[in-house]
Amino acid sequence: MRHPGLSVRACAALVALEAAGLAVVALFYLVELVVATAGDAVRALVTVGLCLVAAAGIGLVARGLVRGRRWARSPALVTNLILLPVAVGLFQGGRWYVGLPLLAVGLAVVVLLFLPATAGHLED
């Protein structure tokens, strides 16, 4: 296996950051459930579970990118293409402080996935 170049490492780091962000959201909901009275406990628990499963999956995608697995490109691309309109919606809804970083990370991952060095690493 070749060592990943800078573009692959940067892309994988951003995808891993997304996974960590989902884990933080899950932790937030869990704390909210324990400390405060959540409006709907079942909904909060389901959200925690979904966020943890998604975080684990996206974490595996980041690992796959570093290891040069071809399959990792598709979920990384799809996840970030879904992230872009969510980020724009947050930005337009007045939550620019959340939407702008999400938009920047999503765009960066999409661009990094199509750089020749990243494509070459994932093709081997």
Side-chain angles (χ1 to χ4, degrees):
M1 180 177 91
R2 264 183 1 173
H3 290 291
L6 180 61
S7 65
V8 175
R9 289 192 314 255
C11 185
L14 290 174
V15 172
L17 181 67
E18 293 170 348
L22 278 169
V24 167
V25 169
L27 181 65
F28 169 79
Y29 273 102
L30 195 59
V31 168
E32 183 73 20
L33 187 64
V34 172
V35 173
T37 55
D40 188 357
V42 173
R43 184 181 305 179
L45 284 173
V46 169
T47 303
V48 167
L50 288 174
C51 284
L52 289 175
V53 168
I58 293 173
L60 290 173
V61 169
R63 188 176 84 175
L65 288 170
V66 169
R67 292 184 175 183
R69 305 293 192 250
R70 292 175 62 181
W71 61 264
R73 177 187 284 163
S74 295
L77 180 63
V78 169
T79 301
N80 284 281
L81 287 177
I82 292 171
L83 181 66
L84 294 177
V86 171
V88 169
L90 285 167
F91 189 78
Q92 291 173 340
R95 301 212 191 275
W96 60 269
Y97 48 88
V98 177
L100 195 57
L102 288 179
L103 185 64
V105 168
L107 283 173
V109 169
V110 170
V111 168
L112 287 168
L113 282 171
F114 287 100
L115 287 179
T118 305
H121 179 72
L122 297 174
E123 293 292 325
D124 291 340

